[in-house]
Amino acid sequence: MAKGGDVLTMLIPNGGWIITGNEYEGINFLECEPITKKQYTDGFAQYDAWKAEQDADKASAKSALLAKLGITEDEAKLLLS
């Protein structure tokens, strides 16, 4: 379940906001253009698909890097430990 901060990170990735709780009324827009309550509310419905896409992109980039290096994930873990 997405939280208010998760949704704001998706909608305003460069930050500039503070949120208290998960309600729109708890958002203070500091250094960014404010979003509407509807955009915020709709963001909860969009978050899961957005997060899944972000995770898939990250996994793809990780696989590509491992392939480029010619090592397995376990071998990479050994190098980083």
Side-chain angles (χ1 to χ4, degrees):
M1 181 81 178
K3 296 181 180 176
D6 298 331
V7 171
L8 287 172
T9 298
M10 175 188 71
L11 297 173
I12 310 170
N14 294 327
W17 48 265
I18 296 173
I19 186 169
T20 303
N22 286 314
E23 301 300 320
Y24 180 80
E25 292 73 23
I27 305 170
N28 290 316
F29 298 99
L30 304 173
E31 298 172 0
C32 63
E33 190 69 32
I35 59 172
T36 65
K37 186 172 184 174
K38 180 171 179 10
Q39 288 172 309
Y40 177 71
T41 303
D42 290 350
F44 282 91
Q46 301 163 358
Y47 180 80
D48 288 338
W50 175 82
K51 180 70 171 140
E53 183 179 332
Q54 297 298 307
D55 291 347
D57 289 348
K58 184 176 178 181
S60 177
K62 181 178 177 180
S63 293
L65 180 58
L66 289 173
K68 186 176 182 179
L69 294 172
I71 61 175
T72 66
E73 186 172 349
D74 289 337
E75 291 169 331
K77 287 177 183 176
L78 284 172
L79 289 173
L80 297 173
S81 60

